[in-house]
Amino acid sequence: FGDCKAKTALLLALLKNLGVEAEPVLVNLGAGDGIDELPPSLAAFNHVIVRVRINGQSYWLDGTRTGDTNPQAMHAPPHRWGLPVRAQGAGLEQLVEPQITVPTVATVVRLDASQGLDAKAKAHIIVTFSGILATTVRATLAKTPRADFERAFRTQFSNPANGMEIDQVTWKDDPAKDLFTIELTGTDDMDWRKNADLGVREYKVGVGGVPRPFPKREPGPNIDAPFAVTYPSFTRSRTEIVLPNGGTGFSVRGASGTEHVAGYEIVSGSSIQGDVASFTVDQHAVTPEISASDAEAANAQIRKLRDVDSFIRAPA
């Protein structure tokens, strides 16, 4: 047991005896952005981590965090600024966070409606976590009874409002690739509604991927301050629906292409290949913040994206 200072001291001692170059770095949890604009003060820092240098590459270790096993999979922490603790003194250093190239959460939902529009569809959901989120899920599993772990995911994905019922939850850990996969199976009572204007039935697909709008600020000294973007972040979602009659006569409508909005790159796709209708969305943060003026314009873009419905249209 110990606080961040005690665990950092222990970590530094271990690294020193391993012959690894390391030093403590003071940071601020939750309020690191903007420290470079404040007067010098120890009150600006409330946490300490360790920087390790191996072959000229910096790695950031937090003695209070558990589950890190692969330094290559660890990203710079979101503290923005750090102060190395050195006998000769040091200046603030910016902690640069690279973009994520592997989705931290990738979700694939496959619904088998091949038995007809009024039959319950078999549901198969795969959620793959990577990086820090995979570490978090492992830590949760380590201290949670299996039944409670299963119940949490069953509750999360079961939805009486849309007819989704989850029967089984399994998982697989792949530490070598730093991936943790949850697999869920069940049924979905799909709601194929009648389009009275066209005389056909349609199924609306919730694809997500649209950022939240930025709040409106009241007049004051911070009205022109930039807005933070959740960075780095990268999520991927895919919905696949197996259609009856080999997909003959079915059509899809939804977003397709690339949009840059609110500090994110959003790549969407809607298509039918054979008897499978697919809807995909990648949401990738490309910047840690946007200006107040850009946020106002982004809100208008977000409203437009939310107005785009994705659905499958059955033959007449």
Side-chain angles (χ1 to χ4, degrees):
F1 293 93
D3 60 14
C4 61
K5 298 183 292 296
K7 292 183 177 181
T8 291
L10 176 60
L11 184 56
L12 289 169
L14 292 169
L15 291 167
K16 179 179 179 181
N17 281 276
L18 288 171
V20 178
E21 180 185 355
E23 65 178 349
V25 178
L26 300 176
V27 296
N28 190 298
L29 290 173
D33 189 21
I35 280 183
D36 58 316
E37 300 177 8
L38 299 176
S41 171
L42 282 177
F45 306 98
N46 59 12
H47 191 51
V48 60
I49 59 178
V50 173
R51 172 166 55 192
V52 171
R53 286 192 176 93
I54 302 174
N55 296 328
Q57 178 70 39
S58 289
Y59 300 95
W60 304 90
L61 308 179
D62 190 329
T64 67
R65 197 168 70 186
T66 60
D68 291 324
T69 59
N70 182 6
Q72 300 296 335
M74 296 170 58
H75 297 280
H79 307 311
R80 299 293 182 91
W81 295 92
L83 180 64
V85 181
R86 299 170 185 160
Q88 69 273 26
L92 284 174
E93 293 188 19
Q94 189 170 12
L95 306 186
V96 179
E97 299 176 85
Q99 290 189 7
I100 296 175
T101 57
V102 176
T104 50
V105 182
T107 305
V108 178
V109 178
R110 187 176 179 88
L111 305 177
D112 186 349
S114 61
Q115 299 305 306
L117 305 187
D118 295 312
K120 283 191 175 183
K122 293 181 179 178
H124 185 198
I125 304 171
I126 299 176
V127 185
T128 303
F129 301 94
S130 72
I132 184 62
L133 288 186
T135 300
T136 301
V137 175
R138 290 188 194 102
T140 301
L141 178 60
K143 62 184 179 182
T144 304
R146 182 185 181 94
D148 292 345
F149 190 79
E150 291 180 6
R151 187 182 301 111
F153 279 94
R154 188 181 295 112
T155 302
Q156 178 182 345
F157 285 90
S158 294
N159 189 343
N162 64 14
M164 179 72 76
E165 295 183 8
I166 300 300
D167 302 321
Q168 186 176 21
V169 181
T170 59
W171 54 85
K172 180 176 65 176
D173 193 5
D174 189 349
K177 295 182 179 178
D178 199 29
L179 301 175
F180 194 100
T181 301
I182 306 289
E183 192 165 353
L184 309 98
T185 56
T187 59
D188 189 7
D189 190 5
M190 299 175 68
D191 185 11
W192 290 84
R193 298 184 179 183
K194 187 70 174 290
N195 185 321
D197 295 331
L198 300 176
V200 297
R201 296 177 72 180
E202 296 175 338
Y203 177 72
K204 187 175 180 180
V205 183
V207 296
V210 180
R212 294 180 179 179
F214 296 99
K216 182 177 177 59
R217 289 178 176 149
E218 296 298 324
N222 294 319
I223 192 170
D224 295 327
F227 284 88
V229 174
T230 303
Y231 177 94
S233 68
F234 182 10
T235 60
R236 171 171 292 164
S237 65
R238 180 179 180 87
T239 301
E240 301 175 346
I241 300 175
V242 183
L243 303 171
N245 303 320
T248 302
F250 285 83
S251 60
V252 299
R253 193 185 80 177
S256 291
T258 302
E259 297 277 354
H260 289 88
V261 54
Y264 294 91
E265 179 183 78
I266 303 173
V267 181
S268 306
S270 307
S271 66
I272 289 183
Q273 299 290 332
D275 64 345
V276 179
S278 300
F279 300 84
T280 60
V281 179
D282 280 10
Q283 187 194 75
H284 203 164
V286 295
T287 181
E289 64 182 36
I290 67 171
S291 68
S293 58
D294 287 343
E296 185 174 347
N299 281 343
Q301 287 181 280
I302 291 171
R303 288 192 294 271
K304 290 181 180 179
L305 289 177
R306 288 186 170 178
D307 288 339
V308 178
D309 289 331
S310 296
F311 61 82
I312 305 172
R313 182 170 293 160

